[in-house]
Amino acid sequence: MDIINSNEAIEELINNNKMALVYFGGNNCGVCTALKPKVQELLKKYPRIKNAQVDVEQSIKISAYYNIFTIPVILVFIEGKEIIREARHISILELNSKLERYYNMFFQEQV
């Protein structure tokens, strides 16, 4: 997961890809450090979802712009619109179910 630290880079990721996932976390957050590898592993199943990470400790303005009040947070954008927002206690199984449904809807005909 590439680290993004500018609003412009996030907007480019969101607007230039059909599906984009942005992971907001921090190095001083135990839940974040435990969840991040699980999210990275999950994303291997969905190669067409472009993704990036925002370190909230380094990018406070970006976090404020996206209304991030707790971490970790996962935002999923489809065609530029926020479709999924998962925060703090994130179930990988539920996230997988949601991603799979949208992924199949948008990329099924292209597989």
Side-chain angles (χ1 to χ4, degrees):
M1 227 180 271
D2 293 333
I3 294 178
I4 290 182
N5 47 20
S6 75
N7 272 340
E8 295 80 19
I10 291 178
E11 291 298 320
E12 185 177 319
L13 175 79
I14 293 168
N15 293 325
N16 293 340
N17 295 287
K18 191 171 268 194
M19 283 185 80
L21 180 145
V22 182
Y23 177 87
F24 290 83
N27 293 328
N28 294 326
C29 165
V31 176
C32 301
T33 55
L35 183 66
K36 183 181 170 186
K38 294 175 184 176
V39 172
Q40 289 174 311
E41 188 64 29
L42 177 63
L43 286 171
K44 290 179 183 178
K45 292 174 57 176
Y46 307 106
R48 292 185 174 180
I49 298 177
K50 303 302 178 194
N51 59 81
Q53 173 185 353
V54 174
D55 183 340
V56 297
E57 296 156 0
Q58 304 297 319
S59 304
I60 295 170
K61 288 183 180 179
I62 295 172
S63 301
Y65 181 81
Y66 286 97
N67 297 313
I68 306 302
F69 299 109
T70 185
I71 52 175
V73 173
I74 295 173
L75 302 182
V76 178
F77 297 86
I78 297 176
E79 295 182 339
K81 294 182 177 77
E82 182 183 319
I83 302 298
I84 299 171
R85 178 180 284 252
E86 296 288 331
R88 192 65 181 150
H89 300 288
I90 299 170
S91 166
I92 291 295
L93 293 175
E94 287 180 28
L95 179 61
N96 179 56
S97 177
K98 292 175 183 179
L99 289 176
E100 183 176 43
R101 181 177 36 169
Y102 287 113
Y103 192 85
N104 289 339
M105 189 178 352
F106 283 93
F107 297 116
Q108 182 178 36
E109 71 281 354
Q110 299 172 6
V111 174

